[in-house]
Amino acid sequence: MTVHVSGCSSAAADQLVSREIRTESGQREVFCGLTGIVWLHRKIQDAFFLVVGSRTCAHLIQSAAGVMIFAEPRFGTAIMEEKDLAGLTDANDELDRVVTQLLARRPDIKLLFLVGSCPSEVIKLDLSRAALRLSQRFSPGVRILNYSGSGIETTFTQGEDACLASLVPELPVQADAKPSLLVVGSLADVVEDQFMRMFDALGVRNVAFFPPRKSTALPSVGPNTKILMAQPFLPDTVRALEERGAKRLAAPFPLGVEGTTGWLRAAADAFGVDPAQFDKVTAPNRARAERALAAFKNELGGRRIFFFPDSQLEIPLARFLSRELDMQLVEVATPYLHREQLAEELKLLPAGVAITEGQDVDDQLDRCRLARPDIVVCGLGLANPLEAEGITTKWSIELVFTPIQGYEQAADLAELFARPLVRRAKLVA
Amino acid sequence: MQLTVWTYEGPPHIGAMRVATGMEQLHYVLHAPQGDTYADLLFTMIERRNKRPPVTYTTFAARDLGKDTAELFMTAARNAYARFKPQAMIVGASCTGSLIQDDPGGLAKSLGFSIPVIPIDLPAYQRKENWGASETFYQLVRAIAGPKAPPPGTKRPDRPAGQRAKCNLLGPTALGFRHRDDVAEITRLLAQLGIDVNVVAPMGATPADLTRLGDADFNVVLYPEVASQVASWLQRIFHQPFTKTIPIGVSATREFVREVAGLAGVDPEPVLAVASTRLPWYSHSVDSTYLTNKRVFIFGDATHVIASARIASEELGFKVVGLGTYSREFGRDVREAAAKYGVEALITDDYLEVEAKVAELHPELVLGTQMERHIAKRLGVPCAVISAPVHVQDFPARYAPQMGFEGANVIFDTWVHPLMMGLEEHLLAMFKDDFEFKDGALPSHLGTGHAPASAPAVAEVAVALPQSAPVLDGAASEPAPTAPAPTGAVWAPEAEKELLKIPFFVRGKARRNTERFANENGVATITVETLYDAKAHFAR
């Protein structure tokens, strides 16, 4: 377990506040990238995710889907057995057999992801070749792609990055020279629709969302495509899109009023929208969101919050809570810190805030207990034990599954943090 | 490779975690990648424990694979030893950890801790959770109690006259189905008999407690899946006999009382004379008449399904139409039990196979696990949970044992509540034309306030499931088109109209039975006659 403290500055990010960042590598209490399947299979509605892994992977997905709310999920596991480890040729035959069996049973599948896991990566089962081989057999009806959601390579939300990056080569080439906007990262349908209306009102045309709801409606990409990141955990996807000629717009993430405004403004500026027009279009939404947020300022203002690393949403969330709700940031930990893509966010964080990249969970728990924050954001494994110690918690996974982006959700986001505090105050027994 | 959607059992290291988490002062160092820490939430969220499991994961990453993962393991073990100061440590690897072949046992030994360090070698690609729990418990007991073993050939000294008999309770673990309450109930029952409990293990025991296992006169095996290997070993090494009866249900509890009384040399009759449980009287009460021959399907771990089948058949008057388990290690016992009820046991860990079986048998009640709860919900069949794996709501706040006489009371309530009560069924039939009982209105006993799907859709789902190969995609999320009967019998309009006169809560079954009857008899068009022929055919 190593800890070192380094200065953080990046030439690419202009005016980036130079700050100290603690880096930890010890036991991590974070889901692996396979968990992304739980929301991705609801987003891309004709896709199926087949984990090629162990019984542990199957058990993880089922436990992460928690109470098993989906009686008929569009994901499954090909559980490797002793004989699959013995010879890789056998494993490939077995995989072909399982995929054939699956597609025979599920003729509605248009896109099949073979998802690599820790064991399949360690034994070097080549899923990209398997995907190619199977694609040849099942095209054109079914497109078969692969990515890795293994815990040795990805953490929690990185699974979405790996999934989307694997889709990028499938995107058609943009045919015309008209500028287009590509919003990258899974958003709830309702949030997508709100943003679409907003772009429309601003006069920003040719807007597409990635991933799409249907795998048959993949957006096109080319040198005239501008990328607006909706989620902070997608560096590989963005890099792949940039290799296709697209340009990333520097922007904060659309959390809270300020973040949403900055995010929309980045698009508006890139598409030459008149600033006065921008203000006119966004002013009513901004005012409404601020009114809704005011109610939570009393509840949350001055409260001390501590983030365990989980979703990589921690930095934008901390920025929102500190700037719009006056919360005090005790420690903000994130599994990975993408200094360039988070540059706009880091500029807005208060100076001197304690940022941690990575985790050594026992040491971090010690710091947390010592600091006695008012509320802690953490994963499911830590929440109840902390509650038992009298520390109020918020499940970080809820922040991934709930629509929290945009003006209309700003107060909902604040409420997610207020509710545990309100609850603790209510309970007398 | 095995294609699966849901699994009944986790990997074997989860079984080891259930043992470690149940115990005190024991720490588990697990060579595992990031992601395997998900297992913590099983204990903190599903079982709602207030402490983290005593497990340190090495959480190695891809970049570590080229370097020294063995060093990573040793650092984690050293830190865990220093931080948690356990009485003993178990070390092992998860499925991925085992692939990188670092030998946690050897590495840990080289660290020279002054506590017992027990390597637990679990073949992750062959075995599963319950086996892992059993093996972990066995290795722990062997390593910790073993040194106290009497020399081979020595006879167990007789208990001094006047000294109370004492026994160990073996098998309860963390995340077990009602283990906490079962232990309390059985301890109370034994106390009534004048028998003391020496050690309860693994749940609640420290490694130091395990050194005292040999002090007991005999062992009580509560959960054979976890404890039978240990019990056999203790019998061989410490000459302690162990109990065979699992005290679930009234008759079994009575037999259990006699069995332990025999082993302890006490008189069971005073306890049996005062033992009270309401199950037998409730079963005899007139409102239970309607339970007669209710067709029940039972699936779960071996211990609970064998006990449940007996209760269902002998104590509630149900008819067992299907019985199965995912515990392959106990396949023979379950097959023997099934033979008693004239059914063939379903031994499988494929949830889709179980689903197909339930659809085919269309029972009136399903007793199962969390998976069967889902299956039953989709098929519109009432369900009660009897075995792990379970939902968070199956760890109730109230005292709700399954074992002993109080357990029998709990079981009566739990199984009968999902069904309609006798009087309720009569009233619904009598007032079926009342506007409040219109189609789609759920009977009050389902009590959810919202229909799972609409009732007719549920009936269609059941029909759409082919009897042969299980389908991965059932029709719940994407409803089947108005379900044609499997081989295409068509409903004549007047027969369809007649069907609507049948109370809605049994209509689905009537439809299925009629279609099955039509298909089996080569009837192409279902007429009113066919409907009543089928009714006569399936009449009990």
Side-chain angles (χ1 to χ4, degrees):
Chain A
M1 269 152 253
T2 56
V3 178
H4 67 267
V5 175
S6 65
C8 165
S9 61
S10 162
D14 56 335
Q15 305 168 326
L16 176 57
V17 184
S18 172
R19 29 175 108 247
E20 289 205 333
I21 290 165
R22 172 197 290 268
T23 310
E24 283 185 331
S25 64
Q27 180 181 326
R28 283 187 171 205
E29 197 60 46
V30 182
F31 282 138
C32 68
L34 293 181
T35 331
I37 290 171
V38 176
W39 67 89
L40 286 168
H41 92 285
R42 303 314 293 176
K43 187 70 203 174
I44 314 174
Q45 299 192 353
D46 51 0
F48 191 99
F49 295 79
L50 181 66
V51 178
V52 184
S54 63
R55 181 164 296 283
T56 311
C57 305
H59 199 238
L60 157 82
I61 295 283
Q62 136 174 358
S63 309
V67 289
M68 304 185 207
I69 43 175
F70 309 121
E72 287 303 326
R74 285 185 305 277
F75 55 77
T77 307
I79 297 182
M80 295 196 292
E81 294 160 310
E82 191 84 68
K83 62 180 192 299
D84 300 312
L85 304 177
L88 286 176
T89 43
D90 293 349
N92 282 316
D93 290 347
E94 280 292 288
L95 182 59
D96 291 7
R97 181 182 62 79
V98 165
V99 168
T100 308
Q101 182 188 0
L102 174 66
L103 293 177
R105 286 171 164 182
R106 296 289 305 259
D108 54 315
I109 298 172
K110 296 282 177 290
L111 174 62
L112 174 66
F113 288 102
L114 303 177
V115 188
S117 67
C118 297
S120 74
E121 296 295 324
V122 170
I123 68 164
K124 303 203 186 310
L125 186 58
D126 192 339
L127 291 184
S128 62
R129 280 180 60 182
L132 208 63
R133 182 175 69 235
L134 288 159
S135 276
Q136 280 162 359
R137 181 167 344 150
F138 292 103
S139 69
V142 191
R143 199 195 302 255
I144 300 173
L145 301 176
N146 77 288
Y147 72 90
S148 173
S150 81
I152 56 173
E153 289 160 313
T154 61
T155 162
F156 194 24
T157 47
Q158 275 181 305
E160 176 171 336
D161 191 20
C163 173
L164 297 188
S166 79
L167 259 178
V168 170
E170 303 295 309
L171 301 185
V173 178
Q174 194 176 358
D176 51 38
K178 278 191 291 186
S180 66
L181 180 67
L182 188 61
V183 178
V184 180
S186 290
L187 292 169
D189 290 357
V190 57
V191 178
E192 269 186 25
D193 294 344
Q194 288 167 8
F195 283 147
M196 200 55 145
R197 285 198 295 273
M198 198 59 95
F199 287 129
D200 228 33
L202 289 169
V204 177
R205 307 284 174 233
N206 292 327
V207 182
F209 289 83
F210 183 57
R213 298 176 199 184
K214 287 272 174 206
S215 71
T216 45
L218 290 173
S220 59
V221 64
N224 300 311
T225 307
K226 305 263 192 294
I227 303 168
L228 197 51
M229 291 174 77
Q231 301 285 9
F233 41 72
L234 302 168
D236 291 350
T237 306
V238 168
R239 198 174 310 123
L241 288 165
E242 284 171 343
E243 279 163 17
R244 298 275 310 260
K247 309 269 183 308
R248 183 178 71 90
L249 302 175
F253 291 88
L255 300 177
V257 179
E258 185 182 34
T260 304
T261 304
W263 190 77
L264 290 170
R265 195 191 302 276
D269 290 350
F271 283 75
V273 177
D274 173 36
Q277 167 72 1
F278 179 83
D279 283 339
K280 196 177 136 210
V281 168
T282 55
N285 300 65
R286 280 200 322 252
R288 185 162 62 198
E290 273 161 10
R291 262 201 318 280
L293 271 180
F296 293 102
K297 243 186 187 164
N298 286 338
E299 199 60 57
L300 295 171
R303 302 280 199 152
R304 300 165 68 246
I305 188 165
F306 192 108
F307 283 89
F308 280 73
D310 203 66
S311 63
Q312 301 190 52
L313 287 167
E314 293 85 2
I315 301 282
L317 287 170
R319 180 264 303 157
F320 162 68
L321 294 172
S322 74
R323 291 175 63 91
E324 297 186 39
L325 293 157
D326 300 334
M327 290 187 82
Q328 290 178 33
L329 308 174
V330 180
E331 176 172 337
V332 183
T334 185
Y336 291 104
L337 185 64
H338 300 290
R339 288 150 174 80
E340 190 184 326
Q341 287 164 13
L342 281 165
E344 301 302 308
E345 293 285 351
L346 290 167
K347 279 184 214 164
L348 298 172
L349 272 189
V353 63
I355 298 177
T356 304
E357 183 178 20
Q359 186 177 34
D360 185 329
V361 71
D362 286 312
D363 288 352
Q364 198 183 14
L365 280 165
D366 285 348
R367 295 197 296 277
C368 178
R369 291 180 183 119
L370 198 66
R372 295 299 298 186
D374 294 300
I375 186 167
V376 169
V377 181
C378 63
L380 297 174
L382 296 175
N384 268 336
L386 284 170
E387 290 282 350
E389 293 179 31
I391 294 175
T392 305
T393 60
K394 167 84 257 152
W395 305 345
S396 50
I397 197 166
E398 216 177 336
L399 299 158
V400 178
F401 291 156
T402 312
I404 55 169
Q405 294 83 3
Y407 292 125
E408 312 310 334
Q409 280 68 238
D412 298 348
L413 179 55
E415 205 266 348
L416 286 178
F417 294 92
R419 191 181 309 193
L421 292 164
V422 169
R423 176 162 190 80
R424 185 163 287 265
K426 277 178 83 85
L427 298 178
V428 289
Chain B
M1 282 181 199
Q2 186 199 350
L3 178 62
T4 186
V5 178
W6 303 122
T7 65
Y8 288 97
E9 290 184 81
H13 74 262
I14 297 290
M17 280 185 73
R18 286 176 50 192
V19 170
T21 306
M23 287 181 64
E24 308 284 337
Q25 308 286 322
L26 176 72
H27 201 85
Y28 187 13
V29 179
L30 186 62
H31 209 11
Q34 168 181 246
D36 284 2
T37 57
Y38 82 89
D40 287 1
L41 77 87
L42 301 170
F43 300 93
T44 67
M45 296 296 293
I46 296 182
E47 194 181 6
R48 258 197 263 249
R49 282 185 169 256
N50 59 5
K51 278 190 293 195
R52 295 173 63 211
V55 182
T56 294
Y57 306 81
T58 56
T59 51
F60 57 81
R63 63 176 180 277
D64 301 316
L65 292 180
K67 295 184 283 177
D68 199 355
T69 48
E71 183 54 42
L72 204 63
F73 177 85
M74 294 206 280
T75 308
R78 252 186 243 114
N79 288 349
Y81 178 72
R83 178 180 282 271
F84 299 102
K85 301 181 178 63
Q87 288 178 5
M89 201 184 257
I90 56 176
V91 296
S94 76
C95 49
T96 308
S98 68
L99 291 176
I100 58 177
Q101 299 179 332
D102 275 336
D103 182 23
L107 293 172
K109 190 166 262 177
S110 74
L111 292 171
F113 299 144
S114 59
I115 53 166
V117 177
I118 302 128
I120 308 285
D121 197 11
L122 304 171
Y125 298 90
Q126 291 170 17
R127 302 295 192 154
K128 293 181 296 209
E129 181 176 335
N130 278 332
W131 186 88
S134 167
E135 179 68 12
T136 303
F137 187 32
Y138 171 62
Q139 295 297 348
L140 261 173
V141 169
R142 245 180 54 147
I144 294 176
K148 300 268 179 171
T154 37
K155 208 175 151 283
R156 196 176 175 79
D158 286 330
R159 178 162 40 97
Q163 188 179 310
R164 281 162 66 101
K166 56 184 175 184
C167 64
N168 301 312
L169 300 189
L170 304 180
T173 63
L175 211 63
F177 182 62
R178 308 291 166 84
H179 288 192
R180 179 194 64 195
D181 296 347
D182 285 348
V183 166
E185 187 64 20
I186 295 305
T187 303
R188 198 162 71 183
L189 187 62
L190 292 167
Q192 285 170 0
L193 286 161
I195 302 168
D196 292 330
V197 171
N198 179 50
V199 174
V200 179
M203 199 168 77
T206 62
D209 292 333
L210 297 185
T211 62
R212 298 190 291 109
L213 280 172
D215 298 347
D217 299 300
F218 64 95
N219 288 309
V220 169
V221 172
L222 293 180
Y223 309 101
E225 281 86 348
V226 177
S228 53
Q229 204 183 354
V230 164
S232 302
W233 183 82
L234 288 169
Q235 184 175 41
R236 248 185 0 260
I237 305 298
F238 288 89
H239 314 294
Q240 291 166 314
F242 62 89
T243 59
K244 314 285 190 300
T245 314
I246 308 301
I248 302 181
V250 178
S251 304
T253 300
R254 290 177 169 275
E255 284 167 22
F256 173 80
V257 166
R258 292 210 164 85
E259 190 182 11
V260 288
L263 290 173
V266 298
D267 181 8
E269 296 311 323
V271 168
L272 290 173
V274 299
S276 76
T277 162
R278 296 191 186 88
L279 187 150
W281 161 237
Y282 275 38
S283 257
H284 280 95
S285 72
V286 67
D287 201 77
S288 291
T289 309
Y290 83 109
L291 297 175
T292 314
N293 284 331
K294 282 264 185 218
R295 306 171 71 258
V296 57
F297 177 87
I298 306 172
F299 197 90
D301 67 15
T303 298
H304 286 94
V305 297
I306 293 170
S308 297
R310 182 174 180 189
I311 298 168
S313 170
E314 297 175 9
E315 297 176 17
L316 292 168
F318 292 156
K319 182 172 171 48
V320 176
V321 295
L323 180 64
T325 186
Y326 55 80
S327 311
R328 285 185 188 278
E329 295 89 346
F330 291 80
R332 209 178 66 187
D333 307 78
V334 175
R335 277 194 198 94
E336 274 170 22
K340 286 186 209 157
Y341 309 103
V343 297
E344 199 187 326
L346 177 65
I347 315 287
T348 182
D349 57 357
D350 186 348
Y351 144 94
L352 298 166
E353 223 177 293
V354 180
E355 180 174 71
K357 194 73 186 169
V358 176
E360 179 196 323
L361 292 171
H362 48 85
E364 290 159 282
L365 176 67
V366 171
L367 301 174
T369 72
Q370 170 66 10
M371 316 299 163
E372 283 68 45
R373 195 208 302 264
H374 261 295
I375 292 168
K377 189 165 146 195
R378 290 191 44 220
L379 300 178
V381 182
C383 177
V385 172
I386 58 156
S387 158
V390 296
H391 191 270
V392 60
Q393 78 189 48
D394 296 305
F395 291 97
R398 70 180 184 282
Y399 183 61
Q402 299 287 290
M403 291 185 171
F405 294 116
E406 182 60 21
N409 292 338
V410 169
I411 285 174
F412 182 91
D413 286 348
T414 316
W415 296 10
V416 168
H417 282 178
L419 299 168
M420 256 180 286
M421 300 308 290
L423 186 58
E424 188 181 10
E425 196 169 84
H426 283 296
L427 290 173
L428 277 169
M430 279 160 66
F431 296 115
K432 68 178 193 292
D433 295 325
D434 189 285
F435 69 93
E436 279 190 50
F437 294 131
K438 64 184 180 299
D439 275 8
L442 276 182
S444 61
H445 70 284
L446 287 177
T448 49
H450 58 279
S454 64
V458 166
E460 283 160 14
V461 168
V463 174
L465 281 170
Q467 268 91 352
S468 54
V471 283
L472 193 56
D473 178 31
S477 46
E478 292 110 59
T482 11
T487 51
V490 180
W491 285 80
E494 67 279 6
E496 192 96 58
K497 221 180 274 171
E498 191 73 9
L499 183 69
L500 289 177
K501 294 177 191 162
I502 294 168
F504 62 85
F505 50 87
V506 288
R507 197 178 301 145
K509 196 171 95 183
R511 179 189 282 275
R512 286 194 297 275
N513 279 348
T514 308
E515 285 167 358
R516 199 171 110 189
F517 177 82
N519 292 333
E520 282 167 6
N521 293 283
V523 177
T525 306
I526 297 171
T527 61
V528 175
E529 288 308 303
T530 322
L531 182 66
Y532 286 112
D533 284 347
K535 184 168 189 282
H537 178 79
F538 288 108
R540 299 196 287 259

